[in-house]
mmCIF file of all heavy atoms in Angstrom:
data_model
loop_
_atom_site.group_PDB
_atom_site.id
_atom_site.type_symbol
_atom_site.label_atom_id
_atom_site.label_comp_id
_atom_site.label_asym_id
_atom_site.label_seq_id
_atom_site.Cartn_x
_atom_site.Cartn_y
_atom_site.Cartn_z
ATOM 1 N N SER Q 439 18.174 19.664 -8.155
ATOM 2 C CA SER Q 439 17.850 18.185 -7.988
ATOM 3 C C SER Q 439 18.169 17.405 -9.258
ATOM 4 O O SER Q 439 17.794 17.794 -10.306
ATOM 5 C CB SER Q 439 16.368 18.021 -7.676
ATOM 6 O OG SER Q 439 16.074 18.435 -6.371
ATOM 7 N N CYS Q 440 18.958 16.324 -9.096
ATOM 8 C CA CYS Q 440 19.212 15.468 -10.187
ATOM 9 C C CYS Q 440 18.103 14.472 -10.379
ATOM 10 O O CYS Q 440 17.833 13.672 -9.432
ATOM 11 C CB CYS Q 440 20.557 14.750 -9.898
ATOM 12 S SG CYS Q 440 20.809 13.348 -10.958
ATOM 13 N N MET Q 441 17.490 14.470 -11.542
ATOM 14 C CA MET Q 441 16.277 13.643 -11.689
ATOM 15 C C MET Q 441 16.654 12.081 -11.720
ATOM 16 O O MET Q 441 15.833 11.266 -11.414
ATOM 17 C CB MET Q 441 15.515 14.028 -13.027
ATOM 18 C CG MET Q 441 15.038 15.456 -12.965
ATOM 19 S SD MET Q 441 14.363 16.008 -11.293
ATOM 20 C CE MET Q 441 12.678 15.339 -11.531
ATOM 21 N N VAL Q 442 17.848 11.814 -12.165
ATOM 22 C CA VAL Q 442 18.301 10.351 -12.189
ATOM 23 C C VAL Q 442 18.395 9.960 -10.776
ATOM 24 O O VAL Q 442 18.051 8.759 -10.340
ATOM 25 C CB VAL Q 442 19.614 10.213 -13.010
ATOM 26 C CG1 VAL Q 442 19.902 8.736 -13.129
ATOM 27 C CG2 VAL Q 442 19.575 10.898 -14.342
ATOM 28 N N ASP Q 443 18.940 10.824 -9.938
ATOM 29 C CA ASP Q 443 19.103 10.511 -8.536
ATOM 30 C C ASP Q 443 17.721 10.337 -7.815
ATOM 31 O O ASP Q 443 17.572 9.561 -6.924
ATOM 32 C CB ASP Q 443 19.971 11.568 -7.825
ATOM 33 C CG ASP Q 443 20.685 10.934 -6.628
ATOM 34 O OD1 ASP Q 443 21.165 9.823 -6.693
ATOM 35 O OD2 ASP Q 443 20.813 11.728 -5.609
ATOM 36 N N VAL Q 444 16.800 11.161 -8.200
ATOM 37 C CA VAL Q 444 15.492 11.076 -7.611
ATOM 38 C C VAL Q 444 14.927 9.674 -7.977
ATOM 39 O O VAL Q 444 14.371 8.993 -7.046
ATOM 40 C CB VAL Q 444 14.499 12.208 -8.228
ATOM 41 C CG1 VAL Q 444 13.054 11.931 -7.921
ATOM 42 C CG2 VAL Q 444 14.929 13.552 -7.718
ATOM 43 N N ALA Q 445 15.021 9.325 -9.218
ATOM 44 C CA ALA Q 445 14.522 7.956 -9.625
ATOM 45 C C ALA Q 445 15.228 6.833 -8.846
ATOM 46 O O ALA Q 445 14.704 5.918 -8.407
ATOM 47 C CB ALA Q 445 14.792 7.727 -11.162
ATOM 48 N N ARG Q 446 16.563 7.109 -8.618
ATOM 49 C CA ARG Q 446 17.358 6.079 -7.866
ATOM 50 C C ARG Q 446 16.823 6.015 -6.457
ATOM 51 O O ARG Q 446 16.674 4.893 -5.868
ATOM 52 C CB ARG Q 446 18.832 6.447 -7.909
ATOM 53 C CG ARG Q 446 19.726 5.387 -7.390
ATOM 54 C CD ARG Q 446 21.064 5.899 -6.883
ATOM 55 N NE ARG Q 446 20.905 7.009 -5.948
ATOM 56 C CZ ARG Q 446 20.661 6.785 -4.616
ATOM 57 N NH1 ARG Q 446 20.471 5.521 -4.155
ATOM 58 N NH2 ARG Q 446 20.511 7.763 -3.860
ATOM 59 N N PHE Q 447 16.497 7.123 -5.825
ATOM 60 C CA PHE Q 447 16.055 7.101 -4.492
ATOM 61 C C PHE Q 447 14.790 6.338 -4.352
ATOM 62 O O PHE Q 447 14.717 5.456 -3.461
ATOM 63 C CB PHE Q 447 15.790 8.560 -4.004
ATOM 64 C CG PHE Q 447 14.997 8.717 -2.695
ATOM 65 C CD1 PHE Q 447 15.714 8.526 -1.484
ATOM 66 C CD2 PHE Q 447 13.647 8.818 -2.702
ATOM 67 C CE1 PHE Q 447 15.004 8.589 -0.290
ATOM 68 C CE2 PHE Q 447 12.898 8.892 -1.506
ATOM 69 C CZ PHE Q 447 13.592 8.809 -0.312
ATOM 70 N N PHE Q 448 13.829 6.568 -5.232
ATOM 71 C CA PHE Q 448 12.566 5.794 -5.085
ATOM 72 C C PHE Q 448 12.697 4.329 -5.439
ATOM 73 O O PHE Q 448 12.080 3.521 -4.841
ATOM 74 C CB PHE Q 448 11.505 6.408 -5.975
ATOM 75 C CG PHE Q 448 10.934 7.697 -5.360
ATOM 76 C CD1 PHE Q 448 11.209 8.965 -5.980
ATOM 77 C CD2 PHE Q 448 10.121 7.613 -4.216
ATOM 78 C CE1 PHE Q 448 10.659 10.092 -5.341
ATOM 79 C CE2 PHE Q 448 9.599 8.800 -3.602
ATOM 80 C CZ PHE Q 448 9.861 9.999 -4.229
ATOM 81 N N MET Q 449 13.699 4.013 -6.352
ATOM 82 C CA MET Q 449 13.904 2.635 -6.667
ATOM 83 C C MET Q 449 14.498 1.859 -5.465
ATOM 84 O O MET Q 449 14.179 0.774 -5.130
ATOM 85 C CB MET Q 449 14.857 2.540 -7.864
ATOM 86 C CG MET Q 449 15.058 1.073 -8.388
ATOM 87 S SD MET Q 449 13.464 0.224 -8.700
ATOM 88 C CE MET Q 449 12.775 1.204 -10.041
ATOM 89 N N GLU Q 450 15.429 2.581 -4.801
ATOM 90 C CA GLU Q 450 16.039 1.983 -3.630
ATOM 91 C C GLU Q 450 14.997 1.749 -2.559
ATOM 92 O O GLU Q 450 14.960 0.744 -1.900
ATOM 93 C CB GLU Q 450 17.146 2.916 -3.120
ATOM 94 C CG GLU Q 450 17.922 2.320 -1.958
ATOM 95 C CD GLU Q 450 19.071 3.187 -1.504
ATOM 96 O OE1 GLU Q 450 19.067 4.373 -1.800
ATOM 97 O OE2 GLU Q 450 19.945 2.746 -0.700
#
Side-chain angles (χ1 to χ4, degrees):
Chain Q
S439 289
C440 164
M441 301 316 278
V442 188
D443 206 39
V444 168
R446 190 201 54 78
F447 168 82
F448 283 111
M449 187 51 65
E450 188 177 12

